[in-house]
């Protein structure tokens, strides 16, 4: 058996195309969606991610405000910058690119963003609302994964979903969204014993650990849906996921590639959240 490919790039393109008329309607009504992106320091990978986000905004008519701050920026300066953006009614979404330099307390900074502008879904209020099953903004990567499952018509309800990884950005919210969709969810992580015994039970396996080739063919149930969230670099500098794609694709029923899988969907869901934020503002102002 060869797995069918979940084409995140195509799904992202279709989803973004669907946003264009919404952005146009908002803009015509004087509510052009605006996303502010803050990059602190000069991490080259973060710079690439941020550039991609800014370009994705511009491609569909969302206004983007990019701020680059030096690595030595103080907490007070960064908090003051976020506070200005919170007060700016032309800004609907605020994203602070992570990781931050070590002297800055990322969680404290994230909590300073107004929760109704937290289009990244990382504010404690948004994490809590997702936990309650009443999300305001879903964390972008897990949200994108749910859309990928939806796109293949996968019946998530009642399935056993195994999430590898327990980060606040991906693993935990992923588990909550799958649970809200009535999956039976197991979260596995670096301290989990006999990982393969657990992953082999998965009807849906989401790998979000950050370790290349962690998921091998013997760890996958035949026919399972395998979604690879990993973004690792090969020694040659190429992007690679957490899943041994070539081997696993002969066991799985569906598989998402890296690149071209989850990555484009993460940025797309950031755009979706930003457009939703602007639509809420427009409604509130009406
Ligand atoms: N760094 C890597 N991915 C992300 C993301 O989705 N949001 C933020 N804020 N930082 C990131």
């Amino acid at each position: 058996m060869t797995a069918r490919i979940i084409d995140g790039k195509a799904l992202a393109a279709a989803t973004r195309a669907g946003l264009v008329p919404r952005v146009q309607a908002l803009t015509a009504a004087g509510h052009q969606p605006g996303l502010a992106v803050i990059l602190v320091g000069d991490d080259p990978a973060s710079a690439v991610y941020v550039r991609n986000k800014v370009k994705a905004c511009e491609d569909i008519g969302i206004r983007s405000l990019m701020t680059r701050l030096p690595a030595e920026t103080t907490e007070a300066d960064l908090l003051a910058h976020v506070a200005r953006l919170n007060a700016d009614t032309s800004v609907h979404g605020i994203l602070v690119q992570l990781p931050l330099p070590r002297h800055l307390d990322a969680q404290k900074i994230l909590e300073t963003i107004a929760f109704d502008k937290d289009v990244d879904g990382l504010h404690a209020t948004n994490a809590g609302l997702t936990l309650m099953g009443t999300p305001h903004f879903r964390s972008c990567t897990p949200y994108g994964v749910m859309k990928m499952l939806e796109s293949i018509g996968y019946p998530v309800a009642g399935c056993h979903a195994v999430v590898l990884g327990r980060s606040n950005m991906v693993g935990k919210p992923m588990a909550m969204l799958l649970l809200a969709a009535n999956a039976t969810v197991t979260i596995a992580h670096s301290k989990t014993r006999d990982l393969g015994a657990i992953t082999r039970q998965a009807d849906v396996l989401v790998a979000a650990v950050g370790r290349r080739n962690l998921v091998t063919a013997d760890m996958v149930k035949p026919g399972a849906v395998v979604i690879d969230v990993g973004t690792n670099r090969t020694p040659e500098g190429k992007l690679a996921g957490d899943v041994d794609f070539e081997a696993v694709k002969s066991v799985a029923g569906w598989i998402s590639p890296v690149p071209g899988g989850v990555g484009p969907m993460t940025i797309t869901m950031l755009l979706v959240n930003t457009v939703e934020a602007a639509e809420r503002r427009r409604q509130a102002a009406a």
Side-chain angles (χ1 to χ4, degrees):
M1 177 206 259
T2 298
R4 285 196 270 177
I5 303 295
I6 308 178
D7 186 346
K9 212 170 150 186
L11 180 60
T15 309
R16 292 182 198 195
L19 290 175
V20 170
R22 291 166 65 185
V23 173
Q24 286 170 344
L26 284 160
T27 305
H31 292 272
Q32 182 185 18
L35 175 68
V37 181
I38 304 169
L39 174 61
V40 185
D42 35 35
D43 177 60
S46 289
V48 172
Y49 288 137
V50 163
R51 214 178 312 130
N52 289 342
K53 289 171 188 177
V54 167
K55 181 171 182 308
C57 284
E58 286 165 359
D59 284 349
I60 65 160
I62 294 177
R63 191 172 72 100
S64 64
L65 265 92
M66 158 81 187
T67 309
R68 261 194 111 132
L69 299 172
E72 322 71 71
T73 300
T74 62
E75 183 177 283
D77 281 349
L78 182 53
L79 292 178
H81 188 70
V82 170
R84 275 195 297 278
L85 294 170
N86 280 341
D88 182 342
T89 53
S90 74
V91 170
H92 304 93
I94 302 170
L95 180 149
V96 177
Q97 184 67 22
L98 302 175
L100 286 170
R102 285 169 61 150
H103 68 282
L104 295 168
D105 178 345
Q107 201 54 41
K108 183 172 176 188
I109 309 292
L110 292 176
E111 299 316 327
T112 309
I113 297 172
F115 91 94
D116 58 355
K117 294 191 178 189
D118 168 42
V119 287
D120 237 357
L122 301 179
H123 190 288
T125 298
N126 285 318
L129 288 169
T130 298
L131 177 79
M132 303 290 279
T134 54
H136 188 69
F137 290 120
R138 296 159 182 86
S139 181
C140 299
T141 298
Y143 193 9
V145 171
M146 294 309 290
K147 291 290 175 192
M148 290 165 85
L149 292 171
E150 206 179 291
S151 77
I152 62 169
Y154 190 80
V156 173
C159 85
H160 186 181
V162 174
V163 178
L164 301 182
R166 53 176 158 176
S167 67
N168 289 336
M169 199 185 297
V170 182
K172 287 182 206 166
M174 185 76 253
M176 290 307 120
L177 294 184
L178 287 162
L179 188 61
N182 295 317
T184 299
V185 182
T186 301
I187 305 175
H189 48 79
S190 55
K191 300 285 187 292
T192 298
R193 270 187 240 135
D194 200 355
L195 192 59
I198 291 175
T199 59
R200 276 188 291 276
Q201 295 173 34
D203 302 306
V204 172
L205 180 60
V206 181
V209 170
R211 190 135 57 89
R212 199 177 155 220
N213 292 339
L214 171 72
V215 177
T216 48
D218 59 306
M219 294 168 70
V220 175
K221 181 190 206 175
V225 180
V226 178
I227 309 251
D228 192 349
V229 180
T231 51
N232 312 296
R233 291 278 161 193
T234 67
E236 302 79 43
K238 280 194 175 158
L239 194 60
D242 289 353
V243 176
D244 180 355
F245 182 84
E246 284 307 319
V248 170
K249 82 172 196 279
S250 57
V251 180
W254 289 91
I255 189 166
S256 74
V258 176
V262 173
M265 285 306 291
T266 294
I267 297 190
T268 299
M269 302 326 288
L270 175 70
L271 304 177
V272 167
N273 281 346
T274 303
V275 170
E276 259 175 39
E279 287 173 345
R280 287 176 188 149
R281 169 74 57 72
R282 181 185 177 184
Q283 280 207 324

